[in-house]
Amino acid sequence: DHVKACGSVLDSDLPTPILLCLLGYTTLSGEIGTKKKVKRLLSFQRYFHASRLLRGIIPQASLYLLDEDYLGQARHMLSKVGTWDFDIFLFDRLTNGNSLVTLLCHLFNVHGLIHHFQLDMVTLHRFLVMVQEDYHSQNPYHNAVHAADVTQAMHCYLREPKLASFLTPSDIMLGLLAAAAHDVDHPGVNQPFLIKTKHHLASLYQNVSVLENHHWRSTIGMLRESRLLAHLPKEVTQDMEQQLGSLILATDINRQNEFLIRLKSHLDNQDLRLEDARDRHFMLQIALKCADICNPCRLWELSKQWSERVCEEFYRQGDLEQKFELEISPLCNQQKDTIPSIQIGFMTYIVEPLFERWAQFTGDTPLSENMLNHLRRNKAKWRSLLHKQHSSSRSNDHSGQVTDSQEQTLNEEETP
């Protein structure tokens, strides 16, 4: 009865303030105990207590709320969740480290998904907490804040006019779920590391899209455990699981050229038919790929933080490889691979080609132009920092000469 009463509260769309109040109660669960079962129980109790409030039943004792100032700021930020300068780091602090759960609950409500799919809010929250907790907070980059950042970017892309008018509720829910869970349980090391250390995941997935397959399968496991979609017909849930896998697998950076070539062909031939579910799904894959690597297209203050975080994760892998006397992977040697050089290469060969094609698809909307402008400015700043590093390297060189390896690296990095 408790579950039924609690689940019925949000069968229809709720105003944002009510959602925030609910989320305000649940953000406290992370502070009490470390066991997931305890957290989820506390979270459920708060939701049930909140449901009594919403049904007009006055509680006997007052509820302990998140500080009203923080709650007010989080509410204000959510009112601007569709803007590109959204600061996910600030939002994560305001929500007490619950940015992913808070953001997804809000977006599911905004897009009318709770009502359309008749989702039980307690079950949705339970699933989202499972996803958020399955990210490794010790990872500098591949953590729940990155997932929340990608989800916010995906929300922005789903609102692009060229795409939005064709999207179904299923498309939107799959896009948001894929964004939220696309890196779940990421170990903080890359696929080559898993392969050369003979990790069981590499064997399980036969060295092909190892991490992405794991993210997908982990997500499906949590969906089934939570029973979020259990009330839907079996054929519908099976199709959703497959589409979710197709979206998450598309984030494999090793498949970048495959998707770029296909996108270029569609754009050149002008044969994208978004009325067709297959073409819509392809553009959702492209949107998720963009969201996953959009950090260089953010404001410099945000972009720089992400760059430092991802490089720190690379360097940690390099230290681990050195410790176990393995060959240090590309980009993971802190002594040779500087943050500016890594970022310039990433922007030039990975980010720019994809976002230029995305802008071609969207038709140079304000968002696409804004992202490309940030990308160009950020790349110029990294070039400036790289130049300063090389100038410092020259002045510190006893011979006063740049070594052959430094000159070669500089030439490669300065070549578009």
Side-chain angles (χ1 to χ4, degrees), residues 210-230:
V210 175
L211 287 169
E212 292 74 23
N213 269 298
H214 179 58
H215 304 323
W216 170 34
R217 297 299 182 181
S218 298
T219 304
I220 298 308
M222 288 183 283
L223 269 175
R224 293 177 180 178
E225 181 184 341
S226 69
R227 297 184 61 79
L228 177 64
L229 307 177

Side-chain angles (χ1 to χ4, degrees), residues 8 13 30 153 161 185 278 295 309 344 384 405:
S8 65
D13 294 342
D185 198 32
R278 186 174 180 177
N295 301 150
R309 284 167 173 262
I344 291 169
S384 176
S405 61

